[in-house]
Amino acid sequence: MKQITLFLTVLLFTCYSCKTYKPQIVSSQQIFQEGHVDFKQCHASTIQSLGKDSLLACWFGGTHESNPDVVIWSSHYANGTWDAPVQVADGILADKRYPTWNPVLYQYPNSDSLCLFYKIGPNPREWKGYVKYSLDKGRHWSTAQALPDAILGPIKNKPLTLPNGTILSPSSTESKEEIWKAHIEISRDQGKTWAISKVRPDTTVQVIQPSILQHRDGRLQVLCRSKENKVMSAFSADQGNSWGAWQATNLLNPNSATDAIQLNNGLFMIVYNPAVAGNNWWEGRTKLHVALSKDGLHWRDELTLEDGVQGDEYSYPTIIQDKSGLIHITYTWNRKSIKHIVLK
């Protein structure tokens, strides 16, 4: 009886929290300042909680996206301050140098092994997945290891670890014919081997860069950047082995990346650009919003992170919630810096 009473109390508290929760900005700062780093442009950040008040962020930076001098950079955060960026990976293969792309940090549960996934190649249609490992919270990294053929690793957003230990890595492909398809890379042995689960390749829906949510009833959901002017979604009832039809959410999408997580209170949170596509790929990235949802399909805007003007770019958000409950968001700030926002 006591257990039932406790369960109902927690359930009522969770429902009450869901109805009343309004995210608030605790702090906002740039990880580094333009002109104080060894690169002109930066993009595609990722962030990882390392413990109490300790974080690690990574991104790619160089002369400009796709230039061979683009490498992966990182910075540690402690006591409210970000360290000066340091280079942690490059695109040198044999005697040739390629640009690096889209780092993703991932921590194996109950393990000291921190992973840094990233891509090397001339462009997203020809890149290959690589990974490095750290046992000291990102201070030192192993040599780069190529992922198996056809395995790209998480393309932009973090893998999801199921309670049974299965790792679901959200990935996608872009063909030379400009066809976009999403898939999930599944590992049941902590990344030693991988299998691919394609997300509805039988349709003409054009999507990449999924994030993965797990619902209370066990269903999985992907939310994707698309060419459809909407954030697109699909559900799985068998732990990602097969997927239902694509569905459009009520969120606009200007062919720009998003990221979404489930919060401790049960709500889902997404960071996205609220616009439709323009004539050029960078259009629609001047505003950046935070929205909440109970079902993953119907979202309500709760917070404006950026409200820029033509020419500004605030894009490629990534989002985590640390053990204390604080929400950390990083994103590209005009290609000149990476911005770090903390919400409660």
Side-chain angles (χ1 to χ4, degrees), residues 49 51-53 264 321-328 342-343:
S49 176
K52 183 174 174 58
D53 301 323
N264 294 341
Q321 187 170 29
D322 66 25
K323 290 184 178 179
S324 72
L326 291 176
I327 299 159
H328 299 270
V342 182
L343 308 180

Side-chain angles (χ1 to χ4, degrees), residues 149-298:
D149 289 343
I151 300 299
L152 294 172
I155 284 297
K156 179 204 164 288
N157 298 320
K158 284 183 181 293
L160 174 71
T161 309
L162 299 180
N164 65 4
T166 298
I167 301 169
L168 303 174
S169 178
S171 197
S172 56
T173 56
E174 303 174 44
S175 73
K176 293 182 179 179
E177 295 74 31
E178 296 295 331
I179 296 173
W180 289 5
K181 294 295 181 183
H183 68 270
I184 306 299
E185 296 170 355
I186 304 175
S187 177
R188 295 177 175 85
D189 53 13
Q190 286 208 330
K192 295 182 179 67
T193 61
W194 297 90
I196 293 177
S197 171
K198 296 182 179 180
V199 185
R200 299 312 299 258
D202 55 325
T203 71
T204 59
V205 174
Q206 301 266 349
V207 291
I208 55 172
Q209 299 173 346
S211 52
I212 310 177
L213 302 175
Q214 185 170 31
H215 289 248
R216 291 185 181 277
D217 60 6
R219 289 179 305 147
L220 299 175
Q221 179 186 11
V222 291
L223 292 161
C224 295
R225 167 184 177 176
S226 81
K227 295 182 182 180
E228 317 296 323
N229 282 323
K230 292 280 190 177
V231 174
M232 299 298 293
S233 173
F235 287 84
S236 171
D238 58 6
Q239 297 193 330
N241 292 299
S242 63
W243 295 86
W246 287 109
Q247 302 178 62
T249 70
N250 65 319
L251 296 173
L252 298 178
N253 185 251
N255 180 13
S256 186
T258 69
D259 195 14
I261 61 170
Q262 184 181 40
L263 300 178
N264 294 341
N265 63 13
L267 289 174
F268 301 113
M269 176 177 282
I270 194 170
V271 187
Y272 77 107
N273 298 111
V276 296
N279 294 325
N280 299 295
W281 63 263
W282 61 81
E283 294 183 73
R285 301 183 178 190
T286 60
K287 301 178 188 297
L288 193 66
H289 287 188
V290 174
L292 295 176
S293 175
K294 293 180 180 179
D295 63 4
L297 289 174
H298 304 90

